[in-house]
Amino acid sequence: MWILVALPLLVPSSGQAATLEKPTLSLHPPWTTIFKGERVTLRCDGYHPLLLELRPISTLWYLGHALLPSHKKSIEVQTPGVYRCQTRGAPVSDPIHLSVSNDWLILQVPYAAVFEGEPLIMRCRGWYDKVVYKLHYYHDGQAVRYFHSSTNYTVLQARASDSGRYQCSGTMRIPVESAPMFSAKVAVTVQELFRTPELRVLGAQEARGAPHGAVVLRCETRLHPQKRDTPLHFAFYKYSRPVRRFDWGAEYTVPEPEVEELESYWCEASTVTRSVRKRSPWLQLPGRGHLEGAVTTALAPQAAVLAPGNKPLSFRKPPVSRLVPSVTSVPSTTSAGLQFPASRVPTPGPAACALPAPLEQSAGALKPNVDLLLQEMQLLKRLLSRVVLELKEPQGPPELSGTLETPNPHYAESLATTGTAPVGS
């Protein structure tokens, strides 16, 4: 009787062990690079079997592919390499790569994965905690931050663009201030919290509970396996106008009047704190009232996905051209009284409801007017030059000008005397 009772108790534990998740390996302090001679603590947290198990609880530790002798839940290590742990019946944990440096300066980054929206903290550390002065942090070779002395560099909300290779530099007083020293470069990868959402139309079987003929949209995305418990909010937009603000629901039912017209929708997924927000591409809904035969066999209207930068189309309000005519009227006369031919006067621009003329045609129509204007300007220039020359020349004899009065006789005698005087006198 006791054997029959004990066997059912053991079967669930063995069946549960077959579906166990891998344990979590943590590092304390949480830096993957240490100085030579220092120690860190590794801890393995995983499944704890029931007390009815026949064998005692044990933890297996691996350094590379070698099995370590310890079976405790936590161990202290100082040897560089890749560490993993395993609890009985569970898969092997994710690895932690421990580096040991003998340099004067090291850059320490967290061992755990950093996801979008989370803080990213880096620490530039001098040999055995010596103070680092004139501290610079670099991202992919570019200086991103400067501190007077030892200070951690923090990115409050990490993004995918923060991934890359980081490095730090500074000076130390050993005992006098040294020349600038650089740490080794460390690769940092910011993990994607969730994928870019996609907006799609649900079929008749998926949209259960919706009114007959209604169009139901769903904003779909996928969280990272390590962050699958992270809550997300969803919002829906028609063009740039929100039709439903952030909420827990990932579905939106399009109102019946809007189903009959061509509309474009997109959705946005976000964390509760709005630290990470991602939007979907456009989804074009072909209106049943405008496109005949668009929905023949399908129960829900089909949709076309557009790129986020493409502008959607709408047949609700035809666009009105607001272009200002680029051709202005040219005066028909100049300051010298020169007339333009009547046929050469430009015409006003196109009406607001008409399509604007191409740029090449407008330029071709203006070219003859410009040539004619240049010819008239050259002619005017010649006339002005002639007037200036006449003003500079001395006044001619009175008999050449019939309109001038007869000069004084004394003035004529003085002109004769002056004209017959010898040059030597």
Side-chain angles (χ1 to χ4, degrees):
M1 184 64 182
W2 286 103
I3 296 178
L4 295 177
V5 173
L7 286 178
L9 293 176
L10 293 177
V11 171
S13 65
S14 60
Q16 185 180 6
T19 58
L20 291 179
E21 296 181 357
K22 54 186 176 183
T24 303
L25 181 60
S26 57
L27 177 65
H28 308 276
W31 310 112
T32 57
T33 304
I34 60 175
F35 285 113
K36 186 177 181 179
E38 293 183 328
R39 290 178 173 268
V40 293
T41 301
L42 294 173
R43 181 182 177 88
C44 187
D45 296 316
Y47 168 67
H48 297 278
L50 299 175
L51 296 177
L52 295 178
E53 293 284 351
L54 299 179
R55 291 179 295 176
I57 302 172
S58 64
T59 301
L60 302 179
W61 291 94
Y62 300 93
L63 175 57
H65 297 285
L67 182 63
L68 299 179
S70 177
H71 297 283
K72 297 180 179 180
K73 192 175 181 179
S74 61
I75 59 175
E76 288 188 355
V77 295
Q78 62 178 1
T79 304
V82 179
Y83 289 87
R84 293 182 177 88
C85 72
Q86 183 182 16
T87 56
R88 184 161 57 86
V92 181
S93 68
D94 292 330
I96 287 182
H97 189 279
L98 183 65
S99 300
V100 177
S101 176
N102 199 28
D103 297 334
W104 283 98
L105 205 61
I106 60 175
L107 180 61
Q108 295 180 318
V109 297
Y111 75 93
V114 178
F115 290 88
E116 295 174 315
E118 296 179 347
L120 172 61
I121 302 175
M122 283 170 282
R123 177 187 182 190
C124 192
R125 187 181 172 205
W127 176 260
Y128 281 91
D129 294 329
K130 288 185 177 294
V131 179
V132 181
Y133 298 95
K134 300 178 182 179
L135 177 59
H136 288 85
Y137 286 92
Y138 303 89
H139 179 208
D140 291 336
Q142 300 293 329
V144 293
R145 197 63 188 273
Y146 169 80
F147 297 99
H148 178 265
S149 59
S150 296
T151 308
N152 295 347
Y153 174 58
T154 303
V155 179
L156 296 179
Q157 294 181 352
R159 295 288 182 267
S161 58
D162 294 321
S163 301
R165 300 181 66 84
Y166 286 84
Q167 188 181 22
C168 68
S169 68
T171 61
M172 287 184 292
R173 297 173 182 176
I174 44 177
V176 296
E177 188 170 357
S178 65
M181 294 178 289
F182 291 81
S183 69
K185 294 182 179 180
V186 180
V188 176
T189 302
V190 179
Q191 301 291 336
E192 186 180 40
L193 181 60
F194 57 89
R195 296 181 180 179
T196 301
E198 294 183 0
L199 187 63
R200 71 180 185 91
V201 180
L202 297 184
Q205 297 180 355
E206 295 177 306
R208 294 181 179 179
H212 178 70
V215 177
V216 180
L217 306 178
R218 175 180 291 176
C219 192
E220 295 183 345
T221 185
R222 181 178 297 180
L223 285 162
H224 191 279
Q226 298 183 15
K227 297 291 184 179
R228 59 179 176 270
D229 297 331
T230 303
L232 296 179
H233 283 178
F234 300 91
F236 293 84
Y237 301 84
K238 183 174 68 175
Y239 301 104
S240 59
R241 179 175 64 87
V243 294
R244 202 202 72 184
R245 300 191 181 276
F246 282 106
D247 196 359
W248 298 101
E251 296 180 0
Y252 171 72
T253 303
V254 180
E256 184 64 24
E258 298 181 6
V259 175
E260 301 297 331
E261 302 182 6
L262 182 62
E263 301 289 356
S264 292
Y265 290 85
W266 56 279
C267 69
E268 188 176 16
S270 170
T271 56
V272 178
T273 59
R274 307 292 184 266
S275 59
V276 182
R277 301 175 63 168
K278 297 182 180 181
R279 57 171 294 177
S280 70
W282 291 97
L283 183 69
Q284 191 82 46
L285 296 182
R288 293 179 297 197
H290 294 279
L291 301 180
E292 297 181 359
V295 182
T296 55
T297 59
L299 297 179
Q302 299 177 355
V305 178
L306 303 177
N310 294 350
K311 185 177 181 180
L313 299 177
S314 175
F315 295 105
R316 300 189 65 180
K317 294 181 180 180
V320 178
S321 175
R322 298 182 179 178
L323 296 177
V324 179
S326 58
V327 180
T328 57
S329 59
V330 180
S332 58
T333 58
T334 61
S335 59
L338 301 177
Q339 300 290 331
F340 281 96
S343 60
R344 297 293 186 175
V345 178
T347 60
C353 59
L355 294 177
L359 183 60
E360 293 80 0
Q361 297 180 4
S362 301
L366 287 176
K367 187 174 181 181
N369 295 334
V370 174
D371 296 340
L372 181 60
L373 181 61
L374 291 177
Q375 295 176 4
E376 299 295 343
M377 291 178 64
Q378 292 178 358
L379 180 59
L380 180 61
K381 181 179 178 181
R382 294 174 184 174
L383 293 176
L384 293 176
S385 301
R386 183 174 299 178
V387 171
V388 172
L389 292 176
E390 291 179 355
L391 293 176
K392 288 183 178 181
E393 292 179 356
Q395 191 173 6
E399 59 269 16
L400 295 179
S401 179
T403 59
L404 298 178
E405 299 179 356
T406 304
N408 191 354
H410 299 285
Y411 177 73
E413 293 177 0
S414 63
L415 287 177
T417 307
T418 305
T420 57
V423 178
S425 61

